[in-house]
């Protein structure tokens, strides 16, 4: 699935990339996932809390970076 990078807008292939080829930003963000509950700031499948800052600005160690339950709502 093609997605736009949240930082630079470049198109990236999500299935085999975790970072943007143009700017190196993390592509999988909880903020873009259909399983993330923004009101309660938590992941529904794992029932884990993810604060809004981490949901918007994940690092390589963030839950969303390699999440098996990640379902991107954003499409190019």
């Amino acid at each position: 699935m093609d997605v736009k990078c949240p930082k630079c807008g470049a198109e990236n292939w999500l299935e085999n990339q975790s970072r943007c080829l143009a700017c190196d930003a993390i592509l999988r963000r909880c903020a873009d996932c259909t399983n993330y509950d923004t009101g309660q700031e938590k992941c529904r499948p794992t029932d884990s809390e993810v604060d809004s800052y981490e949901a918007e600005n994940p690092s390589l160690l963030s839950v969303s970076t390699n999440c098996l339950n990640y379902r991107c709502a954003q499409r190019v």
Side-chain angles (χ1 to χ4, degrees):
M1 164 191 316
D2 282 323
V3 295
K4 283 189 179 180
C5 173
K7 185 174 178 183
C8 71
E11 294 181 20
N12 291 272
W13 186 249
L14 188 62
E15 277 78 12
N16 59 0
Q17 291 173 230
S18 61
R19 302 184 81 139
C20 176
L21 294 174
C23 72
D24 210 35
I26 303 292
L27 294 175
R28 290 183 179 216
R29 304 182 322 151
C30 289
D32 301 325
C33 180
T34 59
N35 290 320
Y36 181 65
D37 183 340
T38 55
Q40 294 185 354
E41 293 187 347
K42 68 184 336 184
C43 175
R44 290 183 193 104
T46 63
D47 200 36
S48 58
E49 293 184 17
V50 181
D51 67 49
S52 59
Y53 181 80
E54 184 175 340
E56 293 282 335
N57 305 290
S59 69
L60 284 175
L61 301 176
S62 295
V63 175
S64 65
T65 305
N66 296 302
C67 182
L68 296 176
N69 299 302
Y70 186 82
R71 301 292 176 261
C72 186
Q74 170 193 358
R75 293 181 185 258
V76 174

